[in-house]
Amino acid sequence: MTDSAALHETFTLTRSLAAPVATVYRAWADPKARAVWNAPVPGVEIAYDADDFRPGGVDRVRYIEPDGPVFSAHLTYHDIVDTRRILYSETLSCEGEPVSAALVTAEFSGDKTGCQLVVTVQMAALNGSGMEVGYLEGWTAVLDNLPLWLAKESVGGQA
């Protein structure tokens, strides 16, 4: 990664989920839940080294790819409105080299029968890393995983 240009990308993804707003929100707030559904590709292990889900709190997360690199994320929560909104910034590095920075907003609306989830990501890919493409692909996959996790939780009686 020798290119020093920062490439910017902004996108919004929307999902209609057949689960109560509180359940979908809890999937975001609980690091054990996030460690299951938040993998952008199959086989990625998610390890939380720190979890502090509150305004001003910090998460430190490692995304460990099988036979591949380790990505480290540092998240800082800026705004949390219970069952309505989560806003955080994230920096991502690969093997210690910075690759991106982002501002992520997740907004939850609906009722006890369904949730409308809107995720907006504003990001900058650093050093020619290509993360401007990877973020959209990763977030699309992650949000496709979420209803699968919600269905399993519902069947298990925990959702």
Side-chain angles (χ1 to χ4, degrees):
M1 291 183 254
T2 58
D3 186 356
S4 62
L7 300 174
H8 300 269
E9 187 66 52
T10 298
F11 56 88
T12 299
L13 300 170
T14 302
R15 296 292 189 273
S16 295
L17 303 164
V21 171
T23 301
V24 177
Y25 179 85
R26 189 174 64 235
W28 283 70
D30 179 358
K32 291 178 183 171
R34 285 193 313 260
V36 175
W37 67 265
N38 202 16
V41 294
V44 169
E45 177 189 345
I46 299 175
Y48 279 83
D49 297 321
D51 170 52
D52 189 6
F53 185 75
R54 63 177 177 84
V58 171
D59 286 359
R60 288 188 181 85
V61 188
R62 286 177 288 127
Y63 296 86
I64 306 161
E65 295 188 9
D67 301 321
V70 175
F71 287 87
S72 298
H74 182 267
L75 285 70
T76 302
Y77 295 101
H78 301 286
D79 183 54
I80 297 175
V81 179
D82 190 40
T83 69
R84 304 296 298 161
R85 181 177 56 243
I86 301 167
L87 180 125
Y88 63 91
S89 58
E90 172 185 73
T91 57
L92 190 65
S93 62
C94 181
E95 304 295 332
E97 184 174 346
V99 293
S100 64
L103 182 67
V104 178
T105 307
E107 298 173 284
F108 309 82
S109 62
D111 55 28
K112 293 181 180 182
T113 61
C115 177
Q116 182 80 2
L117 172 64
V118 178
V119 177
T120 302
V121 178
Q122 301 161 287
M123 63 86 58
L126 308 173
N127 301 326
S129 65
M131 290 302 289
E132 73 281 0
V133 175
Y135 256 67
L136 178 56
E137 291 172 354
W139 271 103
T140 299
V142 161
L143 293 182
D144 288 347
N145 290 340
L146 182 55
L148 302 173
W149 182 86
L150 290 166
K152 287 180 184 175
E153 285 297 293
S154 179
V155 169
Q158 299 176 26

